[in-house]
Amino acid sequence: MKANRQSLRALLTAHGIPVTMQRIAILEFVQSDRGHPFADTVYQNLREKLPTLSLTTVYSTLRLFCEHGLVRMVPCNDAAGMRFDADLKPHAHFRCEKCGEIYDMESGDWKKAPPGCRIPEGFHVSECLVMLNGLCAKCTAESQTRQSHA
């Protein structure tokens, strides 16, 4: 874990972000949580370890990380707000409409528009964010089990 913190410190420094214990802890948490956490989730998981941490600090730090390309926001039609992802390689997301979990989906090149999408002349696509919605395998199985017992 110490080597990981040293690499996080170096990563922040390389991106011109002043290093603080709070920033290291927030980045470490987002990188380790594959569930695409909400800012509130980050705060709830770190506040005991960092009693001076505020939710405002978590939001501003995550925004700073997004601006510097260390994490990205994952829009998800959820009243709880934006989620965050430290996996910056091109990939799509799948959001389960029942349990709300978000899963990474392997994908191809998302530097261009999907087939069938007409881009007006003069426009340039720099990134294509794909969010698939439906039921995850667990929720699908639960739904099928309930239907078979009805």
Side-chain angles (χ1 to χ4, degrees):
M1 170 139 341
K2 199 171 203 176
N4 187 31
R5 290 220 169 136
Q6 288 175 347
S7 66
L8 293 176
R9 183 181 302 276
L11 185 62
L12 291 172
T13 301
H15 282 84
I17 300 172
V19 177
T20 67
M21 279 183 55
Q22 292 178 334
R23 288 178 177 159
I24 290 172
I26 292 168
L27 185 56
E28 182 177 45
F29 183 84
V30 175
Q31 284 186 345
S32 67
D33 186 324
R34 303 307 307 151
H36 308 85
F38 293 102
D40 188 61
T41 305
V42 176
Y43 172 70
Q44 294 299 331
N45 280 274
L46 295 178
R47 70 182 185 159
E48 194 171 302
K49 186 167 89 171
L50 300 168
T52 60
L53 184 67
S54 71
L55 185 55
T56 301
T57 298
V58 172
Y59 273 108
S60 62
T61 299
L62 289 170
R63 189 173 334 123
L64 179 69
F65 290 169
C66 288
E67 290 168 2
H68 285 269
L70 294 175
V71 300
R72 76 173 57 176
M73 289 187 224
V74 179
C76 57
N77 301 326
D78 195 315
M82 199 65 69
R83 295 173 91 153
F84 296 89
D85 190 359
D87 182 357
L88 301 177
K89 70 181 184 292
H91 64 282
H93 292 100
F94 180 95
R95 180 183 174 275
C96 180
E97 296 168 339
K98 185 173 180 191
C99 69
E101 288 295 318
I102 294 183
Y103 301 90
D104 289 336
M105 301 273 119
E106 292 299 318
S107 61
D109 180 13
W110 294 107
K111 295 278 185 199
K112 55 187 176 190
C117 183
R118 294 195 178 133
I119 305 300
E121 190 173 325
F123 283 63
H124 171 76
V125 176
S126 60
E127 182 179 31
C128 178
L129 302 176
V130 176
M131 176 65 75
L132 305 165
N133 292 294
L135 293 179
C136 68
K138 180 181 173 191
C139 290
T140 298
E142 287 174 1
S143 177
Q144 289 172 348
T145 301
R146 276 193 215 113
Q147 286 176 0
S148 68
H149 290 305

mmCIF file of all heavy atoms in Angstrom, residues 72-75 82 85 87-93 107 109-114 125-132:
data_model
loop_
_atom_site.group_PDB
_atom_site.id
_atom_site.type_symbol
_atom_site.label_atom_id
_atom_site.label_comp_id
_atom_site.label_asym_id
_atom_site.label_seq_id
_atom_site.Cartn_x
_atom_site.Cartn_y
_atom_site.Cartn_z
ATOM 1 N N ARG A 72 -12.943 10.243 -14.554
ATOM 2 C CA ARG A 72 -13.980 10.814 -15.407
ATOM 3 C C ARG A 72 -15.326 10.646 -14.732
ATOM 4 O O ARG A 72 -15.527 9.746 -13.928
ATOM 5 C CB ARG A 72 -13.972 10.193 -16.793
ATOM 6 C CG ARG A 72 -14.571 8.808 -16.854
ATOM 7 C CD ARG A 72 -14.701 8.293 -18.253
ATOM 8 N NE ARG A 72 -13.401 8.321 -18.878
ATOM 9 C CZ ARG A 72 -13.134 7.870 -20.079
ATOM 10 N NH1 ARG A 72 -14.069 7.345 -20.795
ATOM 11 N NH2 ARG A 72 -11.931 7.914 -20.574
ATOM 12 N N MET A 73 -16.226 11.554 -15.077
ATOM 13 C CA MET A 73 -17.590 11.464 -14.569
ATOM 14 C C MET A 73 -18.355 10.452 -15.410
ATOM 15 O O MET A 73 -18.158 10.373 -16.622
ATOM 16 C CB MET A 73 -18.282 12.817 -14.659
ATOM 17 C CG MET A 73 -17.772 13.821 -13.681
ATOM 18 S SD MET A 73 -18.791 15.303 -13.731
ATOM 19 C CE MET A 73 -17.525 16.539 -13.693
ATOM 20 N N VAL A 74 -19.192 9.694 -14.746
ATOM 21 C CA VAL A 74 -20.055 8.729 -15.428
ATOM 22 C C VAL A 74 -21.495 9.190 -15.216
ATOM 23 O O VAL A 74 -22.034 9.033 -14.126
ATOM 24 C CB VAL A 74 -19.871 7.297 -14.878
ATOM 25 C CG1 VAL A 74 -20.798 6.327 -15.579
ATOM 26 C CG2 VAL A 74 -18.425 6.854 -15.000
ATOM 27 N N PRO A 75 -22.082 9.802 -16.240
ATOM 28 C CA PRO A 75 -23.470 10.226 -16.080
ATOM 29 C C PRO A 75 -24.380 9.010 -15.995
ATOM 30 O O PRO A 75 -24.221 8.048 -16.735
ATOM 31 C CB PRO A 75 -23.748 11.042 -17.351
ATOM 32 C CG PRO A 75 -22.711 10.627 -18.327
ATOM 33 C CD PRO A 75 -21.548 10.078 -17.553
ATOM 34 N N MET A 82 -23.879 12.238 -10.063
ATOM 35 C CA MET A 82 -22.816 11.748 -10.920
ATOM 36 C C MET A 82 -21.988 10.696 -10.194
ATOM 37 O O MET A 82 -21.794 10.757 -8.994
ATOM 38 C CB MET A 82 -21.930 12.941 -11.283
ATOM 39 C CG MET A 82 -21.071 12.750 -12.468
ATOM 40 S SD MET A 82 -21.953 12.545 -14.030
ATOM 41 C CE MET A 82 -22.646 14.152 -14.287
ATOM 42 N N ASP A 85 -15.221 7.391 -12.262
ATOM 43 C CA ASP A 85 -14.507 6.223 -12.770
ATOM 44 C C ASP A 85 -13.043 6.578 -12.972
ATOM 45 O O ASP A 85 -12.732 7.555 -13.662
ATOM 46 C CB ASP A 85 -15.143 5.803 -14.104
ATOM 47 C CG ASP A 85 -14.657 4.461 -14.632
ATOM 48 O OD1 ASP A 85 -13.792 3.832 -13.991
ATOM 49 O OD2 ASP A 85 -15.151 4.055 -15.695
ATOM 50 N N ASP A 87 -10.942 4.384 -14.342
ATOM 51 C CA ASP A 87 -10.501 3.609 -15.504
ATOM 52 C C ASP A 87 -10.675 4.489 -16.735
ATOM 53 O O ASP A 87 -11.788 4.709 -17.210
ATOM 54 C CB ASP A 87 -11.343 2.334 -15.629
ATOM 55 C CG ASP A 87 -10.912 1.452 -16.792
ATOM 56 O OD1 ASP A 87 -9.985 1.850 -17.552
ATOM 57 O OD2 ASP A 87 -11.508 0.384 -16.961
ATOM 58 N N LEU A 88 -9.579 5.014 -17.250
ATOM 59 C CA LEU A 88 -9.632 5.984 -18.340
ATOM 60 C C LEU A 88 -9.502 5.376 -19.729
ATOM 61 O O LEU A 88 -9.611 6.084 -20.722
ATOM 62 C CB LEU A 88 -8.555 7.053 -18.121
ATOM 63 C CG LEU A 88 -8.692 7.825 -16.806
ATOM 64 C CD1 LEU A 88 -7.538 8.796 -16.644
ATOM 65 C CD2 LEU A 88 -10.027 8.533 -16.716
ATOM 66 N N LYS A 89 -9.278 4.062 -19.801
ATOM 67 C CA LYS A 89 -9.193 3.467 -21.136
ATOM 68 C C LYS A 89 -10.601 3.431 -21.748
ATOM 69 O O LYS A 89 -11.593 3.398 -21.016
ATOM 70 C CB LYS A 89 -8.547 2.090 -21.085
ATOM 71 C CG LYS A 89 -9.359 1.002 -20.452
ATOM 72 C CD LYS A 89 -8.581 -0.321 -20.449
ATOM 73 C CE LYS A 89 -9.390 -1.452 -19.910
ATOM 74 N NZ LYS A 89 -9.712 -1.380 -18.503
ATOM 75 N N PRO A 90 -10.701 3.480 -23.074
ATOM 76 C CA PRO A 90 -12.027 3.500 -23.701
ATOM 77 C C PRO A 90 -12.851 2.265 -23.327
ATOM 78 O O PRO A 90 -12.382 1.142 -23.447
ATOM 79 C CB PRO A 90 -11.713 3.501 -25.199
ATOM 80 C CG PRO A 90 -10.321 4.016 -25.298
ATOM 81 C CD PRO A 90 -9.624 3.557 -24.051
ATOM 82 N N HIS A 91 -14.051 2.511 -22.832
ATOM 83 C CA HIS A 91 -14.981 1.429 -22.515
ATOM 84 C C HIS A 91 -16.376 2.003 -22.350
ATOM 85 O O HIS A 91 -16.548 3.202 -22.145
ATOM 86 C CB HIS A 91 -14.555 0.667 -21.243
ATOM 87 C CG HIS A 91 -14.579 1.468 -19.996
ATOM 88 N ND1 HIS A 91 -13.590 2.376 -19.655
ATOM 89 C CD2 HIS A 91 -15.467 1.521 -18.971
ATOM 90 C CE1 HIS A 91 -13.861 2.927 -18.496
ATOM 91 N NE2 HIS A 91 -15.021 2.434 -18.052
ATOM 92 N N ALA A 92 -17.358 1.157 -22.471
ATOM 93 C CA ALA A 92 -18.746 1.546 -22.275
ATOM 94 C C ALA A 92 -19.166 1.165 -20.857
ATOM 95 O O ALA A 92 -18.422 0.488 -20.142
ATOM 96 C CB ALA A 92 -19.632 0.827 -23.300
ATOM 97 N N HIS A 93 -20.352 1.607 -20.468
ATOM 98 C CA HIS A 93 -20.898 1.265 -19.156
ATOM 99 C C HIS A 93 -22.285 0.647 -19.321
ATOM 100 O O HIS A 93 -23.010 0.971 -20.258
ATOM 101 C CB HIS A 93 -21.016 2.512 -18.263
ATOM 102 C CG HIS A 93 -19.692 3.059 -17.867
ATOM 103 N ND1 HIS A 93 -19.119 4.150 -18.485
ATOM 104 C CD2 HIS A 93 -18.807 2.656 -16.925
ATOM 105 C CE1 HIS A 93 -17.943 4.390 -17.928
ATOM 106 N NE2 HIS A 93 -17.733 3.495 -16.977
ATOM 107 N N SER A 107 -15.115 -2.525 -25.017
ATOM 108 C CA SER A 107 -15.635 -1.921 -26.240
ATOM 109 C C SER A 107 -14.500 -1.644 -27.205
ATOM 110 O O SER A 107 -13.333 -1.794 -26.888
ATOM 111 C CB SER A 107 -16.376 -0.629 -25.903
ATOM 112 O OG SER A 107 -15.501 0.297 -25.299
ATOM 113 N N ASP A 109 -13.271 1.189 -30.409
ATOM 114 C CA ASP A 109 -12.766 2.553 -30.497
ATOM 115 C C ASP A 109 -13.912 3.540 -30.278
ATOM 116 O O ASP A 109 -14.831 3.624 -31.090
ATOM 117 C CB ASP A 109 -12.126 2.774 -31.866
ATOM 118 C CG ASP A 109 -11.573 4.171 -32.029
ATOM 119 O OD1 ASP A 109 -11.467 4.892 -31.026
ATOM 120 O OD2 ASP A 109 -11.243 4.541 -33.161
ATOM 121 N N TRP A 110 -13.867 4.281 -29.197
ATOM 122 C CA TRP A 110 -14.919 5.252 -28.910
ATOM 123 C C TRP A 110 -14.469 6.666 -29.234
ATOM 124 O O TRP A 110 -14.944 7.623 -28.655
ATOM 125 C CB TRP A 110 -15.362 5.142 -27.453
ATOM 126 C CG TRP A 110 -16.018 3.841 -27.179
ATOM 127 C CD1 TRP A 110 -15.494 2.808 -26.474
ATOM 128 C CD2 TRP A 110 -17.294 3.401 -27.625
ATOM 129 N NE1 TRP A 110 -16.369 1.751 -26.460
ATOM 130 C CE2 TRP A 110 -17.487 2.091 -27.162
ATOM 131 C CE3 TRP A 110 -18.299 3.981 -28.402
ATOM 132 C CZ2 TRP A 110 -18.636 1.357 -27.423
ATOM 133 C CZ3 TRP A 110 -19.454 3.255 -28.657
ATOM 134 C CH2 TRP A 110 -19.603 1.966 -28.171
ATOM 135 N N LYS A 111 -13.557 6.791 -30.188
ATOM 136 C CA LYS A 111 -13.125 8.114 -30.628
ATOM 137 C C LYS A 111 -13.927 8.568 -31.839
ATOM 138 O O LYS A 111 -13.650 9.590 -32.437
ATOM 139 C CB LYS A 111 -11.626 8.107 -30.967
ATOM 140 C CG LYS A 111 -10.740 7.834 -29.784
ATOM 141 C CD LYS A 111 -10.541 9.087 -28.999
ATOM 142 C CE LYS A 111 -9.550 8.833 -27.877
ATOM 143 N NZ LYS A 111 -9.616 9.800 -26.852
ATOM 144 N N LYS A 112 -14.915 7.780 -32.227
ATOM 145 C CA LYS A 112 -15.756 8.164 -33.355
ATOM 146 C C LYS A 112 -17.206 7.852 -33.011
ATOM 147 O O LYS A 112 -17.493 7.117 -32.056
ATOM 148 C CB LYS A 112 -15.323 7.426 -34.616
ATOM 149 C CG LYS A 112 -15.288 5.920 -34.477
ATOM 150 C CD LYS A 112 -14.681 5.271 -35.701
ATOM 151 C CE LYS A 112 -14.567 3.775 -35.469
ATOM 152 N NZ LYS A 112 -13.792 3.126 -36.472
ATOM 153 N N ALA A 113 -18.102 8.411 -33.775
ATOM 154 C CA ALA A 113 -19.531 8.220 -33.525
ATOM 155 C C ALA A 113 -19.918 6.779 -33.838
ATOM 156 O O ALA A 113 -19.329 6.140 -34.717
ATOM 157 C CB ALA A 113 -20.339 9.174 -34.382
ATOM 158 N N PRO A 114 -20.920 6.252 -33.133
ATOM 159 C CA PRO A 114 -21.371 4.889 -33.415
ATOM 160 C C PRO A 114 -21.990 4.794 -34.810
ATOM 161 O O PRO A 114 -22.475 5.795 -35.352
ATOM 162 C CB PRO A 114 -22.416 4.610 -32.331
ATOM 163 C CG PRO A 114 -22.724 5.916 -31.701
ATOM 164 C CD PRO A 114 -21.655 6.875 -32.049
ATOM 165 N N VAL A 125 -15.937 14.533 -33.502
ATOM 166 C CA VAL A 125 -16.162 13.730 -32.298
ATOM 167 C C VAL A 125 -14.815 13.458 -31.641
ATOM 168 O O VAL A 125 -13.908 12.929 -32.261
ATOM 169 C CB VAL A 125 -16.867 12.390 -32.649
ATOM 170 C CG1 VAL A 125 -17.002 11.520 -31.407
ATOM 171 C CG2 VAL A 125 -18.214 12.654 -33.291
ATOM 172 N N SER A 126 -14.688 13.830 -30.363
ATOM 173 C CA SER A 126 -13.448 13.548 -29.631
ATOM 174 C C SER A 126 -13.608 12.333 -28.729
ATOM 175 O O SER A 126 -12.632 11.685 -28.373
ATOM 176 C CB SER A 126 -13.008 14.760 -28.809
ATOM 177 O OG SER A 126 -14.005 15.086 -27.872
ATOM 178 N N GLU A 127 -14.845 12.043 -28.355
ATOM 179 C CA GLU A 127 -15.098 10.908 -27.482
ATOM 180 C C GLU A 127 -16.579 10.565 -27.577
ATOM 181 O O GLU A 127 -17.421 11.438 -27.738
ATOM 182 C CB GLU A 127 -14.740 11.266 -26.032
ATOM 183 C CG GLU A 127 -14.932 10.148 -25.053
ATOM 184 C CD GLU A 127 -14.542 10.544 -23.633
ATOM 185 O OE1 GLU A 127 -14.689 11.733 -23.264
ATOM 186 O OE2 GLU A 127 -14.096 9.664 -22.898
ATOM 187 N N CYS A 128 -16.881 9.305 -27.456
ATOM 188 C CA CYS A 128 -18.263 8.840 -27.461
ATOM 189 C C CYS A 128 -18.495 8.079 -26.163
ATOM 190 O O CYS A 128 -17.849 7.070 -25.905
ATOM 191 C CB CYS A 128 -18.496 7.929 -28.676
ATOM 192 S SG CYS A 128 -20.157 7.260 -28.754
ATOM 193 N N LEU A 129 -19.398 8.602 -25.321
ATOM 194 C CA LEU A 129 -19.707 7.958 -24.047
ATOM 195 C C LEU A 129 -20.946 7.100 -24.233
ATOM 196 O O LEU A 129 -21.988 7.599 -24.644
ATOM 197 C CB LEU A 129 -19.945 9.001 -22.957
ATOM 198 C CG LEU A 129 -18.783 9.962 -22.706
ATOM 199 C CD1 LEU A 129 -19.173 11.003 -21.670
ATOM 200 C CD2 LEU A 129 -17.551 9.205 -22.267
ATOM 201 N N VAL A 130 -20.820 5.819 -23.923
ATOM 202 C CA VAL A 130 -21.924 4.893 -24.130
ATOM 203 C C VAL A 130 -22.385 4.347 -22.782
ATOM 204 O O VAL A 130 -21.592 3.823 -22.010
ATOM 205 C CB VAL A 130 -21.505 3.722 -25.057
ATOM 206 C CG1 VAL A 130 -22.627 2.711 -25.188
ATOM 207 C CG2 VAL A 130 -21.094 4.263 -26.420
ATOM 208 N N MET A 131 -23.685 4.496 -22.522
ATOM 209 C CA MET A 131 -24.303 3.955 -21.313
ATOM 210 C C MET A 131 -25.433 3.042 -21.767
ATOM 211 O O MET A 131 -26.407 3.491 -22.368
ATOM 212 C CB MET A 131 -24.853 5.071 -20.430
ATOM 213 C CG MET A 131 -25.602 4.576 -19.206
ATOM 214 S SD MET A 131 -24.600 3.669 -18.005
ATOM 215 C CE MET A 131 -23.700 4.997 -17.224
ATOM 216 N N LEU A 132 -25.265 1.761 -21.510
ATOM 217 C CA LEU A 132 -26.302 0.789 -21.807
ATOM 218 C C LEU A 132 -27.149 0.613 -20.549
ATOM 219 O O LEU A 132 -26.620 0.598 -19.444
ATOM 220 C CB LEU A 132 -25.668 -0.545 -22.208
ATOM 221 C CG LEU A 132 -24.674 -0.476 -23.370
ATOM 222 C CD1 LEU A 132 -23.853 -1.744 -23.447
ATOM 223 C CD2 LEU A 132 -25.398 -0.208 -24.665
#
